[in-house]
Amino acid sequence: MKASKRRADTRGSQLNTLHHRLRDALNLCTRYRDGSRMRWECRDIETQRHVLRSIVAFLDCVSEEASSNPLLKDSAEDIVRALVGILHQKSEATTSIAADAVCKLASVLITSILQPYLPDLVHPLSCLSISPQLQVAIPSSRALSILLSNLSKKKENEVWEVLDKEDITTHLIKNILDFSASTSSNVYFQEMLALLAIILLRWPQSRYQVWSNVRFMNMLEDFCVNPDPSLGVALLKLNSAIALCSYGAKTILEHGETIVGAMVRFMGSSNPLSVRIEGFKLAQCLMLTEQGCSRVVSMFCEPIVEAIVCAMIEWKLKEGKGANDQIPLMHEACRLAMITRWPGKHHLYFWKKGIDKVLVDILLPNFVGKYPSYHTYPLEEQIAIARENLIDNPVLVLRPYVWDILGWLAIRYAEDYDPKFSENEAHFDVLTAAACVAFEDIMGRGNQLCHDDVISTFRSESAARVVLMMIFSSCKYISSKARSMLCEVLNPNGERYLKQLLYTLKSPSSGVNLGMPNLVHIVISLIGLTCYLALPHYEGFIVESSKTLLSYMMGRSSESFCIPRSNYALHLKSNLPGRACCFFHPEEWEGKDVILFHNLWALSLSIHHSGSKSNCSVMAVLQTENVRTELVNKLLEICKDTSNCGARWFASYILTYFSYFGFPSELGVKIGKAFNQEDYADIELILADGTSFSIHGVLLMVRCPSLLPPEQHFDKGTFDDSSVTNDSDNWHGKFRKEIRLSSHVNRLELEKLLEYVYSGSVQAEENTVKRLKILARHCGLHHLSELLSRRIPEWATDIPSFDLKSALGQGRNTFWDRL
């Protein structure tokens, strides 16, 4: 204790001495006022060196613990003035030392104290970093990169004005291109690429100059053919910064065979950890959208999946510190594995590469190898083993990723696949058991969830959600296994948990916005109730559940509860290296209002089960006049909100029980007014009895091309462009194409189908539904057919679009004169 105090006293005495020397050195030079700022000036090189040595000695003595030392705070302004003054001299003899001193200052000075001085320091360094002299450019670029990395958002605009005034992006591009053809050292390229990357990450407006420069992008491609390992991190970071712009990502993917190929190689286990992590970050940027994911998967599906799986499991092969060092890589691999949210052949490769074993290793580290015949054990024993092994977990932070990955893989599984005929059975069974055990634990905690720590509450949603997705998997084996396992796990406390869920949703406080934990508790309650409704054992609660769900939906305020899942699922928070731009993200299927989504899913399921005689009272409640009118209006309103795709589907499904079929929308109402109006109609559909409908070909081609004869083409012979006139009276004789339909087509069903084609929705009584369903199926209107059949929508089923751009065609502008 005394020795420690003596060391501290000695260090303090030494710091005081160096501080006095620094003051003496700074006083050797001239101070003057330039407007509102004090300036420091010294033209003597030896004096500058003396000052710099004093600054460096003082900063070296400032330990990490003493970074808030009053001496440092008091000296910061004078040190910055001196460094700015010396850097403005642009002397080759002192620039390198001054730049290194800037790096030291940034490392010891508290970031908040550094912020006011950043614009002054950035100005001279931005000029020096683009110098043609390597000994000046390299240290200046390094110092500027460090300063920009420590920049706060409040100072971004002010610093960007400095950088933009120097046109630094253009100069960096030029210098990199000029030196790429020379034999300059890799150090220069590393610093230039790193600086450019930081600028692109911070300021999206600078990205266009890079990705639109064909010569520069070709140069990057050339460097990626046989990439130098020492340049790996710099190249990957720069490409990530470019890919944060959707157009930049598209440009990189156009160079896919080289840039993306190099990225995949850098993700391999033979590379240093830092390089691999940057490789995964670039992959996340490129696969930020379903289109980007599809493009990368089409080129490098197997190696990408293999890299992800290997990175997720490597920590098990290490021990001690080596295992802990792997956690950041595992994080990035798990984030990239979230591409399982999108369909594609990568799902098959994940299973081929053993993702089930990897997920078991992360969830239950002590399971693999200990229970080789797990799937043959009795169900009770399987549950007990899963419960025991789920408790001890050194990588708990990754658990939400595991649940989500498992959920995506399960819900998109092939319908006819059966894990019993593969080596996956034991792993899949224990994953199912673990998910159901976690679900039961969450249901058991009930209202205590709101009083748990926030992170624990948020993580609970992922654990409940994975069971929901497994139950509703298109794979019969997965769905059946999840239902039977959950039913066994919930016994004997299932009914008590279910009553608690219903109580939570009935509680007056559930209709009030009490903060995010309470909202997540509502989401978990709705997910839990949906899972219960899928189990036949609890069908006695369907009527009560339906009333509760209906009352909750009708009584809640849409504005106060409008939250997307990403607002509380912390693992879904963007971990991109910078701000993305120019991306047009389609909403997740859950939409911007996840509570409404799960409310409607649960209500749809309860109504679906109401078909049995024992539950006909559910429909009796819904069909009462006051409930029916209010509910239908509410559902029609939901259908018009294009930001909630999944909610629209479930709302449309419920509307089928009130004779509404389709997807009502404001645009559909407007277009629907043109149905059977002769103005500008160019096709006449004629039935066998001679009655006819005047139709607009552009809509028929986009929305229901099956009604057109196979030989019908609208780019030759159908329209005479020279006859175009604004006189609607002349239109009918010159532009009409007759199409005669089969005698099997009934007028009423065709009228209803065309009404759907025009407006996107239609009302039809039960006596019309059967024949309309047959006609819809023959016409390829899959969405209408599914609704007429009253099938619960599958996950991520899209909404038919009213987008008419496809009518423009390619080459010749088909229908251009009708749009």
Side-chain angles (χ1 to χ4, degrees):
M1 192 77 177
K2 290 181 179 180
S4 176
K5 186 176 184 301
R6 281 197 301 269
R7 283 195 299 271
D9 290 342
T10 302
R11 191 161 51 242
S13 175
Q14 185 182 8
L15 187 62
N16 283 327
T17 301
L18 291 170
H19 180 254
H20 284 303
R21 292 178 182 174
L22 174 62
R23 285 292 182 189
D24 291 340
L26 292 172
N27 287 331
L28 294 173
C29 304
T30 305
R31 289 183 176 87
Y32 66 95
R33 183 169 294 280
D34 180 10
S36 60
R37 298 185 180 184
M38 288 295 295
R39 298 293 186 186
W40 187 95
E41 185 176 30
C42 177
R43 298 188 178 276
D44 182 70
I45 297 298
E46 288 306 316
T47 303
Q48 289 181 19
R49 283 176 171 167
H50 174 61
V51 170
L52 288 172
R53 284 195 294 267
S54 299
I55 292 174
V56 171
F58 175 70
L59 294 176
D60 281 341
C61 190
V62 177
S63 65
E64 200 171 302
E65 299 82 17
S67 59
S68 58
N69 190 297
L71 292 178
L72 179 59
K73 290 183 180 179
D74 294 341
S75 305
E77 185 174 357
D78 289 331
I79 290 174
V80 171
R81 284 178 190 157
L83 291 174
V84 170
I86 293 171
L87 289 169
H88 271 300
Q89 298 296 318
K90 299 182 181 179
S91 169
E92 186 178 333
T94 57
T95 295
S96 178
I97 307 172
D100 289 340
V102 170
C103 296
K104 287 183 182 292
L105 180 65
S107 67
V108 299
L109 197 60
I110 296 173
T111 305
S112 59
I113 299 176
L114 181 65
Q115 295 306 309
Y117 310 119
L118 285 178
D120 288 336
L121 287 167
V122 165
H123 183 260
L125 287 171
S126 62
C127 299
L128 294 167
S129 63
I130 55 180
S131 168
Q133 298 173 304
L134 298 189
Q135 61 270 34
V136 171
I138 290 174
S140 300
S141 298
R142 187 181 298 123
L144 184 55
S145 294
I146 291 173
L147 292 180
L148 297 182
S149 298
N150 284 281
L151 183 66
S152 69
K153 286 188 177 180
K154 289 183 178 179
K155 285 289 179 180
E156 278 187 354
N157 289 339
E158 187 177 350
V159 170
W160 173 248
E161 287 179 6
V162 175
L163 297 175
D164 192 37
K165 188 175 180 180
E166 295 297 328
D167 200 11
I168 190 169
T169 308
T170 302
H171 286 296
L172 284 174
I173 292 171
K174 180 180 181 301
N175 285 359
I176 291 171
L177 284 171
D178 290 344
F179 280 94
S180 66
S182 70
T183 57
S184 300
S185 68
N186 282 347
V187 176
Y188 176 81
F189 283 103
Q190 284 178 331
E191 297 301 337
M192 293 297 109
L193 295 176
L195 176 56
L196 182 57
I198 290 174
I199 291 172
L200 300 188
L201 290 173
R202 281 278 184 175
W203 294 281
Q205 61 267 42
S206 62
R207 294 168 190 162
Y208 172 78
Q209 293 183 66
V210 178
W211 65 257
S212 64
N213 190 312
V214 176
R215 188 180 163 212
F216 187 84
M217 294 304 296
N218 287 338
M219 181 273 296
L220 281 183
E221 183 179 11
D222 291 340
F223 269 92
C224 289
V225 174
N226 291 302
D228 189 321
S230 65
L231 292 175
V233 171
L235 282 170
L236 290 167
K237 281 187 173 182
L238 180 56
N239 278 293
S240 293
I242 296 170
L244 284 173
C245 172
S246 68
Y247 299 107
K250 183 179 179 181
T251 304
I252 290 174
L253 291 173
E254 289 171 355
H255 297 80
E257 295 302 321
T258 47
I259 296 180
V260 182
M263 175 196 77
V264 173
R265 290 193 294 275
F266 279 134
M267 292 164 66
S269 57
S270 61
N271 293 286
L273 204 59
S274 60
V275 176
R276 296 177 69 190
I277 288 173
E278 292 304 326
F280 277 97
K281 287 182 177 180
L282 173 56
Q284 290 169 40
C285 293
L286 293 176
M287 304 171 87
L288 201 55
T289 63
E290 184 175 352
Q291 293 74 21
C293 174
S294 178
R295 184 76 177 89
V296 173
V297 163
S298 68
M299 294 186 287
F300 298 100
C301 183
E302 186 171 2
I304 281 277
V305 172
E306 187 171 5
I308 293 172
V309 171
C310 287
M312 289 174 69
I313 198 59
E314 278 182 16
W315 74 283
K316 286 276 287 184
L317 308 177
K318 309 281 185 178
E319 291 184 5
K321 186 178 182 298
N324 292 333
D325 290 343
Q326 294 290 321
I327 300 299
L329 178 65
M330 288 181 69
H331 263 282
E332 300 305 331
C334 287
R335 288 188 181 104
L336 185 55
M338 298 296 279
I339 60 174
T340 48
R341 72 178 61 195
W342 293 308
K345 62 180 181 180
H346 54 292
H347 279 253
L348 178 61
Y349 279 100
F350 269 109
W351 290 110
K352 282 184 176 181
K353 298 298 179 180
I355 188 64
D356 50 327
K357 181 179 181 298
V358 172
L359 296 181
V360 171
D361 272 332
I362 297 174
L363 272 178
L364 314 162
N366 300 319
F367 175 84
V368 175
K370 201 172 178 182
Y371 307 96
S373 303
Y374 175 84
H375 58 290
T376 64
Y377 293 0
L379 208 55
E380 298 86 349
E381 195 171 345
Q382 289 186 21
I383 293 168
I385 292 170
R387 196 184 302 276
E388 177 186 348
N389 285 271
L390 196 59
I391 297 171
D392 183 24
N393 195 321
V395 284
L396 189 63
V397 68
L398 298 178
R399 191 172 283 185
Y401 291 106
V402 173
W403 292 137
D404 272 13
I405 294 165
L406 177 59
W408 295 123
L409 289 169
I411 206 157
R412 295 191 183 279
Y413 221 114
E415 183 176 353
D416 57 350
Y417 184 77
D418 189 345
K420 286 193 296 185
F421 299 107
S422 73
E423 59 185 20
N424 297 340
E425 187 178 4
H427 296 144
F428 192 83
D429 283 359
V430 74
L431 286 171
T432 306
C436 291
V437 165
F439 179 93
E440 192 262 349
D441 177 64
I442 293 164
M443 297 300 109
R445 295 212 301 275
N447 288 333
Q448 183 60 35
L449 279 172
C450 296
H451 305 293
D452 291 344
D453 67 278
V454 174
I455 293 178
S456 176
T457 302
F458 293 171
R459 287 176 179 169
S460 297
E461 186 266 359
S462 294
R465 183 174 178 272
V466 67
V467 175
L468 178 72
M469 299 184 83
M470 293 175 82
I471 285 175
F472 289 94
S473 169
S474 55
C475 174
K476 295 175 182 176
Y477 176 87
I478 294 177
S479 178
S480 174
K481 189 73 177 179
R483 291 168 197 254
S484 60
M485 185 71 77
L486 182 60
C487 204
E488 182 66 29
V489 169
L490 289 173
N491 187 44
N493 300 310
E495 288 194 9
R496 179 166 61 86
Y497 297 156
L498 177 52
K499 289 176 182 177
Q500 179 63 47
L501 291 178
L502 294 171
Y503 175 80
T504 298
L505 295 172
K506 290 176 183 177
S507 171
S509 63
S510 68
V512 181
N513 188 350
L514 298 176
M516 194 61 76
N518 293 75
L519 295 179
V520 176
H521 184 209
I522 296 297
V523 173
I524 292 172
S525 299
L526 290 167
I527 290 174
L529 184 54
T530 308
C531 292
Y532 268 105
L533 289 169
L535 304 178
H537 183 74
Y538 299 96
E539 66 179 11
F541 289 85
I542 288 178
V543 175
E544 185 180 358
S545 299
S546 300
K547 292 179 179 178
T548 302
L549 290 163
L550 181 62
S551 175
Y552 183 79
M553 185 181 74
M554 301 306 293
R556 65 187 286 265
S557 168
S558 58
E559 292 183 2
S560 62
F561 287 89
C562 195
I563 56 165
R565 184 171 182 247
S566 57
N567 275 23
Y568 60 80
L570 302 181
H571 63 293
L572 297 181
K573 295 288 185 182
S574 174
N575 195 52
L576 297 173
R579 289 195 294 272
C581 66
C582 305
F583 281 95
F584 303 99
H585 293 289
E587 289 285 344
E588 295 286 350
W589 206 59
E590 289 138 308
K592 68 177 184 181
D593 190 348
V594 71
I595 292 180
L596 176 65
F597 170 80
H598 285 294
N599 195 162
L600 286 169
W601 191 346
L603 186 59
S604 297
L605 201 59
S606 67
I607 293 174
H608 179 75
H609 290 312
S610 69
S612 63
K613 292 181 180 179
S614 60
N615 293 318
C616 61
S617 56
V618 173
M619 288 308 301
V621 171
L622 297 178
Q623 293 290 356
T624 56
E625 186 174 347
N626 59 329
V627 172
R628 176 190 173 99
T629 302
E630 188 178 357
L631 177 59
V632 167
N633 288 338
K634 180 81 171 179
L635 295 172
L636 289 172
E637 180 186 336
I638 292 169
C639 283
K640 293 177 181 178
D641 185 354
T642 57
S643 64
N644 289 307
C645 185
R648 289 180 72 195
W649 251 113
F650 287 118
S652 296
Y653 171 80
I654 297 171
L655 280 170
T656 63
Y657 289 89
F658 301 96
S659 302
Y660 288 84
F661 300 89
F663 306 90
S665 66
E666 293 180 3
L667 180 60
V669 171
K670 293 178 181 178
I671 295 179
K673 293 176 181 178
F675 174 49
N676 213 21
Q677 297 294 317
E678 292 200 355
D679 288 349
Y680 305 106
D682 42 53
I683 291 178
E684 188 172 21
L685 297 179
I686 304 174
L687 283 83
D689 63 1
T691 58
S692 64
F693 293 94
S694 299
I695 303 299
H696 301 81
V698 62
L699 271 170
L700 211 58
M701 190 185 82
V702 173
R703 300 269 295 160
C704 187
S706 300
L707 273 178
L708 299 172
E711 72 278 2
Q712 183 67 47
H713 299 286
F714 289 98
D715 56 346
K716 290 183 181 179
T718 305
F719 306 110
D720 179 4
D721 292 349
S722 63
S723 304
V724 175
T725 174
N726 290 326
D727 184 355
S728 61
D729 292 335
N730 294 331
W731 179 273
H732 312 300
K734 297 182 179 180
F735 297 90
R736 182 63 53 84
K737 176 72 178 181
E738 295 182 354
I739 298 177
R740 297 189 177 275
L741 302 177
S742 164
S743 59
H744 296 290
V745 180
N746 178 279
R747 175 184 172 84
L748 179 59
E749 281 76 51
L750 178 61
E751 183 178 12
K752 293 294 181 183
L753 184 127
L754 291 173
E755 187 180 336
Y756 171 82
V757 169
Y758 269 77
S759 66
S761 64
V762 63
Q763 283 185 269
E765 299 302 324
E766 287 300 318
N767 57 358
T768 311
V769 167
K770 185 175 180 180
R771 289 180 63 87
L772 180 57
K773 180 168 61 177
I774 295 171
L775 182 60
R777 187 168 61 248
H778 281 295
C779 289
L781 295 175
H782 173 73
H783 298 89
L784 178 59
S785 177
E786 290 291 293
L787 289 171
L788 290 165
S789 301
R790 293 197 174 98
R791 293 194 182 95
I792 291 280
E794 292 186 358
W795 183 269
T797 306
D798 61 345
I799 301 285
S801 172
F802 262 112
D803 187 359
L804 303 180
K805 290 196 294 288
S806 59
L808 292 172
Q810 299 202 2
R812 181 181 172 85
N813 288 332
T814 311
F815 288 124
W816 67 268
D817 53 339
R818 312 291 170 260
L819 296 177

